[in-house]
Amino acid sequence: MLASKAERYIGLCIRAGKLACGFNALDAVKKDVYLLILCSSASENAKKSALKLKNKFGCELLEYSGGLLEDVTGKPNCKIAAVREKNLAKAILSVTDDNLKIYSGGNG
């Protein structure tokens, strides 16, 4: 299956070392988070935590519904990822599609 443009940009983030995966990794990050990506299979508590991180970093939060985020990142049980490079975050935001939408909170 062909990856979407957004998924390819996430792959670039991984190769550049600019993607932090998981809530524990994000707890250690103090700055330079430009975009958060949340897996649609995340629990309600994880979604609440993601909204708190969104407010902490002042960045956009996207929900990935094209499968599991762990399949895109290659990290087992990855429910959230943070893009730590400004231009890659802008690129991902510019190519969002049906699989990657802005998360507004709540169900759906």
Side-chain angles (χ1 to χ4, degrees):
M1 183 166 113
L2 293 174
S4 70
K5 276 191 172 186
E7 290 168 342
R8 289 191 295 245
Y9 281 130
I10 292 169
L12 282 173
C13 292
I14 293 167
R15 288 190 291 285
K18 297 294 183 178
L19 192 75
C21 294
F23 286 100
N24 290 339
L26 289 176
D27 283 340
V29 174
K30 301 294 181 208
K31 61 178 184 168
D32 296 333
V33 172
Y34 300 100
L35 177 65
L36 293 169
I37 303 169
L38 179 69
C39 186
S40 62
S41 68
S43 69
E44 288 304 312
N45 284 341
K47 291 177 180 181
K48 288 177 188 175
S49 295
L51 287 171
K52 287 179 185 175
L53 288 170
K54 174 189 183 295
N55 293 332
K56 173 183 174 183
F57 295 117
C59 64
E60 199 66 62
L61 174 62
L62 299 179
E63 183 176 30
Y64 179 72
S65 60
L68 296 175
L69 188 57
E70 65 185 62
D71 294 337
V72 177
T73 62
K75 303 283 184 184
N77 294 323
C78 178
K79 298 298 180 193
I80 191 165
V83 177
R84 303 194 63 214
E85 207 288 317
K86 192 176 201 173
N87 292 324
L88 285 170
K90 284 182 183 178
I92 292 168
L93 285 168
S94 72
V95 296
T96 56
D97 55 18
D98 290 340
N99 293 335
L100 203 59
K101 295 182 180 176
I102 293 175
Y103 182 73
S104 60
N107 297 328

